[in-house]
């Protein structure tokens, strides 16, 4: 399926949502709930009519840590929901696969629609995770709180969450563990199968290879440009690492 990215541009996001409406309002509401709550697609497809009928918002528990999120429906959302649930069984699924079916929409069909609509508005990196990643990116941009998202999605580290939303990591956050449990887990993993020493050795070997090649007369300017950029990043990492050590707290 390829890499799936959040939709970061407001104009593109609006065009995508309106294109979903042209296919069917159920896809629009499904997407609105997804980017409003951070729910996984498979969880949205389990929603029943009674979960949203006559309500101005939806509150859900996300992930293993059961983090609560709430999405306030707009007036337009409520109008669409009213039409979707009108005259239907309260215990029936909100997002149906077919008009005459009682079964929920399949994950595969949702993906196909997202992909087709995405291509129609010029978005290629789109898929079933688009809603969640868009929610996460928008939340991070409005709060700067990567730890909340890390816990919501049960990621092992902030670095994973930064990659998930397609953002350059805040090195101070990535280097500093947040809890004693996370520090203990890191120690265990680094000693497991001597992983920590192996990773350090691999990094040292790579740096040595660059140093050994540094004076090679066959190097072109692009080599030195890459080395310069790499060292700029490395200098920042080293400085932040030093500042993040417990003795500097």
């Amino acid at each position: 399926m390829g890499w799936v990215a959040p939709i970061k541009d407001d104009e593109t996001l609006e065009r995508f949502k309106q294109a979903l409406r042209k296919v069917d309002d159920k896809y629009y509401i499904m997407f609105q709930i997804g980017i409003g709550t951070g729910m996984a697609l498979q969880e949205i497809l389990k929603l029943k009519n009674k979960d949203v009928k006559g309500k101005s918002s939806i509150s859900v528990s996300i992930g293993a840590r059961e983090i609560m999120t709430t999405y306030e429906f707009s007036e337009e959302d409520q109008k669409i929901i009213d039409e979707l649930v009108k005259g239907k069984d309260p215990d029936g699924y909100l997002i149906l696969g077919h008009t005459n079916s009682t079964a929920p929409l399949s994950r595969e069909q949702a993906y196909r629609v997202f992909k087709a609509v995405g291509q129609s508005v010029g978005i290629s990196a789109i898929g079933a995770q688009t809603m969640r990643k868009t929610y996460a990116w928008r939340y991070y941009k409005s709060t700067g709180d990567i730890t909340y998202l890390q816990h919501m999605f049960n990621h092992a580290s902030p670095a994973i969450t930064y990659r998930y939303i397609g953002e350059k990591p805040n090195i101070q956050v990535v280097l500093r563990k947040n809890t004693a449990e996370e520090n203990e887990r890191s120690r265990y993993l680094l000693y497991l199968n001597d992983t920590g020493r192996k990773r350090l050795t691999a990094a040292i070997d790579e740096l040595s290879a660059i140093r050994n090649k540094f004076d090679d007369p066959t190097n072109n300017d692009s080599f030195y440009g890459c080395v310069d950029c790499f060292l700029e990043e490395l200098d920042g990492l080293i400085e932040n690492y030093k500042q993040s050590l417990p003795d500097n707290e």
Side-chain angles (χ1 to χ4, degrees):
M1 291 185 181
W3 168 253
V4 174
I7 302 175
K8 299 181 178 182
D9 176 67
D10 286 342
E11 182 179 341
T12 302
L13 180 62
E14 187 59 30
R15 284 194 292 113
F16 180 75
K17 291 195 293 184
Q18 293 308 316
L20 285 176
R21 289 201 68 177
K22 291 179 180 179
V23 178
D24 195 306
D25 279 340
K26 67 184 180 185
Y27 296 113
Y28 173 83
I29 284 299
M30 178 175 67
F31 191 78
Q32 285 288 81
I33 292 173
I35 66 171
T37 63
M39 291 176 73
L41 174 59
Q42 60 266 30
E43 296 303 317
I44 297 175
L45 297 177
K46 293 177 184 177
L47 289 174
K48 304 293 183 67
N49 293 320
K50 64 184 179 183
D51 294 325
V52 296
K53 184 177 181 179
K55 297 182 179 180
S56 60
S57 66
I58 181 172
S59 295
V60 293
S61 174
I62 305 291
R65 300 188 186 220
E66 298 185 342
I67 294 177
M68 293 297 299
T69 66
T70 298
Y71 171 60
E72 301 286 341
F73 294 127
S74 67
E75 289 186 10
E76 186 66 18
D77 290 342
Q78 291 181 52
K79 289 178 183 178
I80 295 171
I81 289 171
D82 287 345
E83 286 299 316
L84 284 177
V85 304
K86 183 187 296 183
K88 294 182 179 177
D89 181 359
D91 288 312
Y93 290 105
L94 174 65
I95 312 295
L96 296 175
H98 300 285
T99 304
N100 297 322
S101 171
T102 58
L105 182 75
S106 70
R107 191 175 186 276
E108 292 72 23
Q109 177 61 13
Y111 169 77
R112 285 193 290 268
V113 170
F114 280 178
K115 197 71 176 174
V117 171
Q119 290 174 348
S120 74
V121 297
I123 307 173
S124 57
I126 199 162
Q129 287 283 330
T130 297
M131 294 182 294
R132 235 182 178 191
K133 289 191 175 187
T134 301
Y135 162 84
W137 183 83
R138 290 163 67 87
Y139 180 88
Y140 175 70
K141 283 299 180 181
S142 65
T143 67
D145 189 353
I146 200 70
T147 303
Y148 174 88
L149 295 171
Q150 177 195 348
H151 292 166
M152 172 181 280
F153 300 136
N154 203 30
H155 290 162
S157 72
I160 294 173
T161 310
Y162 279 117
R163 287 199 299 272
Y164 183 76
I165 64 175
E167 282 293 305
K168 185 176 181 179
N170 179 327
I171 299 302
Q172 288 281 9
V173 174
V174 172
L175 289 176
R176 187 187 300 273
K177 294 297 180 181
N178 296 300
T179 67
E181 289 78 10
E182 287 172 324
N183 285 328
E184 183 179 357
R185 182 174 183 274
S186 290
R187 179 173 183 151
Y188 168 76
L189 291 174
L190 287 172
Y191 272 101
L192 182 66
N193 298 322
D194 207 25
T195 299
R197 292 179 187 275
K198 290 176 181 177
R199 288 169 63 188
L200 286 169
T201 299
I204 292 169
D205 288 346
E206 190 63 36
L207 287 169
S208 295
I210 294 172
R211 183 183 60 189
N212 292 337
K213 190 181 178 183
F214 194 79
D215 294 321
D216 189 332
T218 64
N219 292 336
N220 55 29
D221 288 344
S222 64
F223 168 80
Y224 293 103
C226 289
V227 171
D228 187 34
C229 290
F230 172 68
L231 291 177
E232 284 281 348
E233 291 289 330
L234 186 61
D235 289 344
L237 280 169
I238 292 172
E239 183 59 32
N240 280 302
Y241 165 74
K242 290 177 179 178
Q243 293 178 8
S244 298
L245 291 173
D247 289 343
N248 290 323
E249 291 182 342

